[in-house]
Amino acid sequence: MRGAVRAQRSPCQAWRIDKLPCTALMHHFPLCRRTVSSQQRAGVAHAEAGRPPGHATLQCLHHLPDLRTSIHAYQPPAAEGRDIDAVLTAQLRSVNTQLTSTTDSIVPMQFVMALRQRFPRFAEMQNGAYMQQDADECLRGLLTSLATTLPGSSESSNRVDELFGYRLKSSLKCLECDEEPPQESEELTRVLMCHLGTQTEPVSHITQGVQLSLKEHIEKNSPVLGRNAQYEKTSTLESLPPYLIVQFARFGYKGANEWAGTSAAKVKLTRKCAFTHTFDILECASDDLKKKLSVGRLRKKEVEDAELERLKKALDKSAKDEDVEMKPVEDAAAAAAVGVEELDTGYYQLVGIISHKGRTADGGHYVGWTLHKKADGKDLKDDQWVLFDDDEVSFVSWKDMTGMSTDLCGGKADTQIAYINIYKKVTVAADPGQSLGAASSTEKEEDVKMEAGYS
């Protein structure tokens, strides 16, 4: 059967995925099962050793409502104008539709074939089996394809960059020549790195690791000195995406050691890098963006203070046996529905994780985690997540994900460790009835400014 999969195909036939033999793929890609019960999710039956990272990536992307809606609305062009990106997007739409609606098992063979045709590296084989590939490459590859097929809100934009893209502003300064002016640049990117430091100077928290990744030293030719020189590149975020992807730089290469008799190989950094279910991007923002975020943070504090005051009054009335309607304030989604302006706060909520267990990216096992329910302090004391581990799907609490036996923050070599975190932006509705800060005390305003990094 594998011979049929490995058969050579001419470029003109590459996009005709639906006409190619695909029986062997049943042994190399997960079977997906979906039930309509709110307490059940699609499972993934594992293949032999060398499991592909695609199922964990699919699960996390599938549970992002904004992206899922855009994929569902995609209409592929006619067959004569359809390229491999269009085919891959159409197959992803088909998978998402079945994961959402059916209770029967499905085999996403056509999607896998399109993925391997679009990115040949995922078709590499070793000892008669498909090789393990990097989940980061799978995620980036899917976003690259979707960016060419999913239109944005304007003719010059695409949906992927509207959801995941952010502007990164950089300054490149020569450290050996003060006379050389800094070089300023700006680029649109989709993934924010989190470096883990060194053995002598390890990174202990995700914020520290992200900040480290935004400052690097490089060597390049200096036009003033006429030779190679050392430069420092400093970057800041100029905008915030609705969904922020943070990748932990856990994989690298270890050179060959002739004395020890070892060859070059991929290695994995398992050191602990703490993160919580929220992430504050403020310290990584540009000065202009910080000013905008200070407005949203002030408004967020006003809303939270008003909610606390409302609850206090409700409890006082309840103590007097009066009927009280415990109605919470409008959340951001409800406010957006009626056209109220949304303000960025710089805060993000963790909604998805792709983790890896194993020593190198060439082996081991990827699983996906998605946020199911937020803790409400009453019936649910802790955030509830869904773990997609092949065909085993289970509900787990946040404390179990970062506890003694399993700690996705790292530190243990042979357990699942977070590799890619996906965050959703936290916004707050602007108050259309008054200027921001009007109801706040001077002390409250100063607290927010100090939090934003202003004196």
Side-chain angles (χ1 to χ4, degrees):
M1 292 183 183
R2 290 192 181 109
V5 177
R6 299 201 307 266
Q8 297 295 319
R9 297 183 286 274
S10 64
C12 65
Q13 294 175 320
W15 60 271
R16 295 303 301 274
I17 302 299
D18 57 319
K19 300 300 182 182
L20 299 175
C22 55
T23 307
L25 287 171
M26 294 177 65
H27 302 287
H28 295 290
F29 196 82
L31 303 178
C32 297
R33 183 183 70 252
R34 174 74 184 187
T35 65
V36 296
S37 170
S38 62
Q39 291 300 314
Q40 292 181 317
R41 293 295 184 273
V44 178
H46 67 77
E48 63 262 19
R51 302 160 181 147
H55 68 82
T57 305
L58 277 177
Q59 293 285 18
C60 286
L61 292 181
H62 175 71
H63 287 83
L64 302 181
D66 300 290
L67 180 63
R68 186 173 65 243
T69 299
S70 296
I71 294 175
H72 180 73
Y74 174 70
Q75 296 296 326
E80 58 271 14
R82 192 176 306 171
D83 59 14
I84 186 59
D85 285 322
V87 172
L88 182 58
T89 304
Q91 295 301 332
L92 181 57
R93 183 189 65 175
S94 177
V95 171
N96 279 347
T97 299
Q98 293 181 72
L99 288 175
T100 303
S101 61
T102 186
T103 60
D104 298 326
S105 298
I106 66 167
V107 183
M109 297 181 297
Q110 306 297 336
F111 169 78
V112 179
M113 296 189 73
L115 179 68
R116 287 172 174 160
Q117 188 65 35
R118 175 62 175 84
F119 304 102
R121 182 166 185 172
F122 289 94
E124 294 178 353
M125 303 188 74
Q126 186 177 55
N127 300 324
Y130 286 104
M131 296 175 60
Q132 173 77 292
Q133 300 296 341
D134 195 333
D136 171 61
E137 293 182 1
C138 182
L139 175 62
R140 290 176 187 257
L142 285 176
L143 294 182
T144 297
S145 288
L146 293 175
T148 67
T149 57
L150 300 182
S153 56
S154 66
E155 293 184 0
S156 59
S157 65
N158 65 78
R159 190 56 176 155
V160 168
D161 285 334
E162 288 180 348
L163 292 176
F164 303 98
Y166 60 91
R167 298 194 312 277
L168 197 66
K169 185 177 181 180
S170 302
S171 176
L172 189 63
K173 171 64 178 175
C174 181
L175 299 178
E176 302 180 34
C177 181
D178 293 335
E179 289 75 22
E180 184 175 332
Q183 303 174 33
E184 306 289 340
S185 63
E186 188 173 302
E187 62 177 325
L188 186 70
T189 187
R190 299 171 188 153
V191 179
L192 188 61
M193 295 299 300
C194 175
H195 290 328
L196 301 178
T198 63
Q199 289 185 345
T200 56
E201 296 182 358
V203 165
S204 60
H205 193 272
I206 185 173
T207 301
Q208 181 187 2
V210 169
Q211 289 177 325
L212 182 62
S213 71
L214 296 175
K215 181 175 290 187
E216 56 182 324
H217 288 83
I218 62 176
E219 181 177 322
K220 64 181 291 291
N221 182 267
S222 169
V224 176
L225 298 177
R227 60 174 175 81
N228 281 357
Q230 292 295 318
Y231 285 76
E232 182 180 69
K233 183 179 181 181
T234 305
S235 303
T236 56
L237 276 70
E238 193 73 10
S239 65
L240 298 183
Y243 292 96
L244 181 66
I245 300 175
V246 178
Q247 178 195 344
F248 295 91
R250 291 205 172 273
F251 296 112
Y253 283 93
K254 183 178 181 180
N257 189 317
E258 184 176 352
W259 180 81
T262 59
S263 57
K266 266 186 178 181
V267 294
K268 180 180 177 181
L269 299 177
T270 60
R271 69 173 60 105
K272 186 180 182 69
C273 183
F275 60 88
T276 65
H277 46 72
T278 59
F279 180 47
D280 186 359
I281 199 68
L282 180 70
E283 295 304 320
C284 303
S286 67
D287 290 340
D288 289 341
L289 181 56
K290 283 181 179 179
K291 293 178 182 178
K292 296 178 181 178
L293 296 181
S294 68
V295 177
R297 293 162 90 91
L298 178 58
R299 174 59 182 160
K300 185 174 184 294
K301 187 171 179 60
E302 291 177 347
V303 172
E304 291 172 347
D305 287 349
E307 176 67 3
L308 288 175
E309 184 65 24
R310 184 194 64 80
L311 290 174
K312 181 181 178 182
K313 292 180 179 179
L315 290 174
D316 291 341
K317 292 181 179 180
S318 179
K320 298 177 182 179
D321 296 328
E322 296 183 16
D323 293 333
V324 179
E325 184 182 5
M326 300 294 288
K327 181 180 179 182
V329 296
E330 284 189 335
D331 59 13
V338 295
V340 177
E341 179 187 3
E342 291 298 308
L343 302 175
D344 287 344
T345 63
Y347 297 111
Y348 277 86
Q349 168 71 50
L350 185 61
V351 295
I353 301 174
I354 300 174
S355 65
H356 179 265
K357 176 182 179 180
R359 296 287 178 170
T360 72
D362 295 330
H365 181 41
Y366 289 99
V367 300
W369 314 68
T370 62
L371 179 63
H372 178 59
K373 287 183 180 179
K374 287 283 296 174
D376 56 14
K378 298 177 182 178
D379 299 329
L380 193 61
K381 303 298 183 182
D382 197 11
D383 290 355
Q384 190 177 50
W385 286 68
V386 184
L387 166 60
F388 297 95
D389 184 358
D390 294 334
D391 56 347
E392 296 182 7
V393 180
S394 57
F395 289 85
V396 294
S397 66
W398 174 256
K399 65 179 181 180
D400 291 331
M401 297 164 59
T402 55
M404 296 295 292
S405 60
T406 298
D407 188 352
L408 293 181
C409 295
K412 299 181 179 69
D414 298 316
T415 62
Q416 290 289 341
I417 299 177
Y419 180 38
I420 297 172
N421 284 3
I422 303 177
Y423 295 86
K424 184 175 182 180
K425 182 164 63 175
V426 176
T427 60
V428 63
D431 185 354
Q434 64 180 49
S435 59
L436 293 177
S440 301
S441 65
T442 303
E443 291 78 14
K444 183 191 300 182
E445 200 167 311
E446 290 300 321
D447 288 342
V448 175
K449 286 184 178 180
M450 290 180 65
E451 184 182 11
Y454 300 111
S455 58

